[in-house]
Amino acid sequence: MRKTYLLVITAIVLLAALVASAVLMTGFVAPTNEIEVLALEASEPEFGTGGAPIGPDDRLPAEPGTSSPAEAVSEESSADESAAEESSAGEPSSAPESSQSPAPSSGESASGEPPAQEPSSQQSSTPASSAPSGPPPADGSYSTEEPSSPQPSSTPSSSSASSSAPSGPPPAVSLPDPSSQPSSSSQASSSSPASSSEPSSSAPSSGDTLRVSLNGAVTEGDAYDILCQIVEAEMGGSYQTEALKAQAVAAYSYIKYENAAGRTPSLPGRTPTQKTRSAVSAVLGQKLTYGGSVAFTPYHASSSGYTNPSSEVWGGSYPYLVRVSSKYDPSSAYKDQQVVMQASTLKGKLESYLNTTLSDDPAAWNIRLATNDSGYVSTVALTAADGSSCTLTGRQMRETVLAYGIRSHAFTIEVSGDQVIFTTNGYGHGVGMSQTGANAYAANEGWTYAQILSHYYPGTTLS
């Protein structure tokens, strides 16, 4: 009996061992292990999920020098005002009014500016010689960040440009009133794809051919490709999308105007980002016209706070190139820029240009400035050593005497001992669209490109 009991116990133990072995081999305990592992993972902190991803439009405006020149179309170089410039904006082929006189000569860009350094608050003993790069840093009075949510856009259909110069009475203005706050339904899309220097895989084409001198090389090709390079060079991807669109339309109109007159304008170019490509694509083929003809559309980096009438810069009268407010410009980095020169250096330059002799004491020059309503210097009067009076224009002082060594001809002059201090406001000739203003109006007031263009070229029609 006892032997039988022992055999039964042994059999039970062996059976239990076999069952345990089978359980381990079949993995029935795995679910318990998995739960423990998941619980362990859940206790680990999560990184990178606390906020939205940073996109190209969330970045701050580019620092100086990170994008290409922000200057644009046309400054005059008359027979006695010739100065070397990087690009060309030739004179109009015919006058829109009887008072029309030659506009900027060839050899000048839409902005008419040679390359120059980004403005600095530091005084310099030598004139600046390079053009601004990227959007000028603001002093905090306005934002240049792109809106985060896209809004629908409505754009006019494109039409071919007329080859004749503006003429006749102003047509009814077809653009929206920029003084009114734009509604969400009228704003163009402000979202943009990630920046990229690579061309789009399916680049649009208007079938239109433009001829320009791009970075010194004559180029004739598709309007889209050429405009993308120009807009990137003039503004760059850190600008508001609506400002980029306005720049594309202004540059296209300017080139069409010049090409129709048989001229090849000289403009800067740079490999475009995808954001710039998208902006150009959205307005491809659109232009500004006046009286049924393509308009002459110069532009510049920043005004003094008011733009210049063309009649007070080139002598030609264009009804749509008049004085308008550009209220955000005085808040840019182009405000109160100073250049300090030795009086002896300036004396030599002035004597050579005026063909006269000045006193060795700059205080005896008795410098007198006359300015126009926009704040730009119209005439500079000086007293020569023999007591006679000499005069030159503000543009002659800036462009020829100083070889574009100061930002604009909205300047003041202060004599301090043996030094002469020039203080300027704005950058460029001040005619037409301010690129700084366009960017700020888009950022702060939600203006569409159509409203920007209507403001800076009043009386023109977007078509």
Side-chain angles (χ1 to χ4, degrees), residues 55 59 77 102 123 142 164 188 229 232 250 260 264 267 273 291 311 313 340 363 384 399 404:
R59 297 173 297 181
S77 290
Q123 292 189 353
Y142 64 86
S164 61
Q229 296 178 65
E232 186 69 32
T264 302
L267 295 163
T273 61
S311 59
V313 177
V340 181
E399 298 169 19
Y404 288 90

Side-chain angles (χ1 to χ4, degrees), residues 206-437:
S206 64
D208 194 6
T209 298
L210 301 178
R211 180 181 174 85
V212 297
S213 176
L214 207 59
N215 297 330
V218 175
T219 302
E220 186 168 357
D222 182 72
Y224 172 75
D225 291 332
I226 289 174
L227 286 173
C228 285
Q229 296 178 65
I230 292 170
V231 172
E232 186 69 32
E234 295 290 2
M235 285 189 172
S238 57
Y239 272 70
Q240 294 281 307
T241 298
E242 295 304 301
L244 294 173
K245 292 177 183 178
Q247 179 64 69
V249 175
Y252 178 69
S253 303
Y254 169 68
I255 296 169
K256 293 293 287 184
Y257 182 92
E258 291 294 286
N259 284 176
R263 293 183 291 265
T264 302
S266 181
L267 295 163
R270 181 172 176 162
T271 302
T273 61
Q274 186 57 45
K275 178 178 179 179
T276 296
R277 288 180 173 276
S278 297
V280 173
S281 176
V283 297
L284 187 59
Q286 294 182 41
K287 63 187 180 299
L288 292 178
T289 63
Y290 180 81
S293 300
V294 66
F296 174 61
T297 52
Y299 42 90
H300 57 282
S302 182
S303 75
S304 66
Y306 288 91
T307 64
N308 250 329
S310 61
S311 59
E312 296 189 22
V313 177
W314 304 305
S317 180
Y318 293 85
Y320 48 86
L321 295 179
V322 294
R323 177 179 181 265
V324 301
S325 172
S326 192
K327 66 182 182 182
Y328 293 103
D329 288 356
S331 298
S332 77
Y334 301 129
K335 173 74 171 177
D336 294 333
Q337 293 299 303
Q338 291 190 337
V339 170
V340 181
M341 296 187 67
Q342 291 298 312
S344 58
T345 301
L346 181 58
K347 176 177 180 288
K349 293 177 179 293
L350 286 169
E351 288 179 336
S352 175
Y353 182 74
L354 296 170
N355 192 26
T356 191
T357 301
L358 298 175
S359 169
D360 291 335
D361 178 10
W365 300 351
N366 188 26
I367 301 173
R368 293 144 353 248
L369 304 180
T371 59
N372 65 13
D373 290 340
S374 298
Y376 290 83
V377 174
S378 51
T379 60
V380 182
L382 306 96
T383 301
D386 62 4
S388 62
S389 181
C390 306
T391 61
L392 68 160
T393 68
R395 290 187 60 237
Q396 288 169 336
M397 174 68 86
R398 179 198 177 215
E399 298 169 19
T400 307
V401 175
L402 300 179
Y404 288 90
I406 57 177
R407 299 294 184 188
S408 77
H409 64 288
F411 60 80
T412 59
I413 300 178
E414 177 187 357
V415 175
S416 178
D418 62 351
Q419 293 183 326
V420 179
I421 303 169
F422 288 85
T423 303
T424 61
N425 289 309
Y427 195 164
H429 48 62
V431 182
M433 184 180 72
S434 162
Q435 294 165 323
T436 297

Side-chain angles (χ1 to χ4, degrees), residues 9-322:
I9 294 298
T10 301
I12 292 172
V13 171
L14 290 174
L15 181 60
L18 290 173
V19 170
S21 176
V23 168
L24 291 173
M25 292 178 65
T26 56
F28 287 147
V29 295
T32 302
N33 291 339
E34 288 176 2
I35 292 171
E36 290 176 354
V37 171
L38 290 173
L40 179 63
E41 289 178 350
S43 67
E44 295 295 324
E46 296 182 3
F47 296 99
T49 59
I54 297 176
D57 294 335
D58 298 314
R59 297 173 297 181
L60 293 176
E63 290 298 317
T66 60
S67 71
S68 46
E71 273 292 327
V73 188
S74 255
E75 288 196 324
E76 175 185 43
S77 290
S78 60
D80 61 347
E81 293 181 52
S82 60
E85 292 184 7
E86 227 181 15
S87 24
S88 162
E91 75 178 51
S93 57
S94 62
E97 294 187 354
S98 58
S99 61
Q100 176 69 47
S101 62
S105 63
S106 59
E108 300 176 345
S109 74
S111 65
E113 289 308 304
Q117 294 177 349
E118 187 70 19
S120 166
S121 60
Q122 300 297 321
Q123 292 189 353
S124 169
S125 59
T126 58
S129 60
S130 60
S133 298
D139 64 358
S141 61
Y142 64 86
S143 166
T144 56
E145 291 186 5
E146 190 88 46
S148 58
S149 59
Q151 299 182 9
S153 83
S154 57
T155 59
S157 60
S158 69
S159 64
S160 59
S162 169
S163 60
S164 61
S167 62
V173 179
S174 63
L175 300 184
D177 179 5
S179 62
S180 60
Q181 187 72 14
S183 65
S184 59
S185 62
S186 65
Q187 294 186 21
S189 172
S190 59
S191 63
S192 61
S195 297
S196 167
S197 60
E198 294 300 318
S200 173
S201 58
S202 57
S205 173
S206 64
D208 194 6
T209 298
L210 301 178
R211 180 181 174 85
V212 297
S213 176
L214 207 59
N215 297 330
V218 175
T219 302
E220 186 168 357
D222 182 72
Y224 172 75
D225 291 332
I226 289 174
L227 286 173
C228 285
Q229 296 178 65
I230 292 170
V231 172
E232 186 69 32
E234 295 290 2
M235 285 189 172
S238 57
Y239 272 70
Q240 294 281 307
T241 298
E242 295 304 301
L244 294 173
K245 292 177 183 178
Q247 179 64 69
V249 175
Y252 178 69
S253 303
Y254 169 68
I255 296 169
K256 293 293 287 184
Y257 182 92
E258 291 294 286
N259 284 176
R263 293 183 291 265
T264 302
S266 181
L267 295 163
R270 181 172 176 162
T271 302
T273 61
Q274 186 57 45
K275 178 178 179 179
T276 296
R277 288 180 173 276
S278 297
V280 173
S281 176
V283 297
L284 187 59
Q286 294 182 41
K287 63 187 180 299
L288 292 178
T289 63
Y290 180 81
S293 300
V294 66
F296 174 61
T297 52
Y299 42 90
H300 57 282
S302 182
S303 75
S304 66
Y306 288 91
T307 64
N308 250 329
S310 61
S311 59
E312 296 189 22
V313 177
W314 304 305
S317 180
Y318 293 85
Y320 48 86
L321 295 179
V322 294

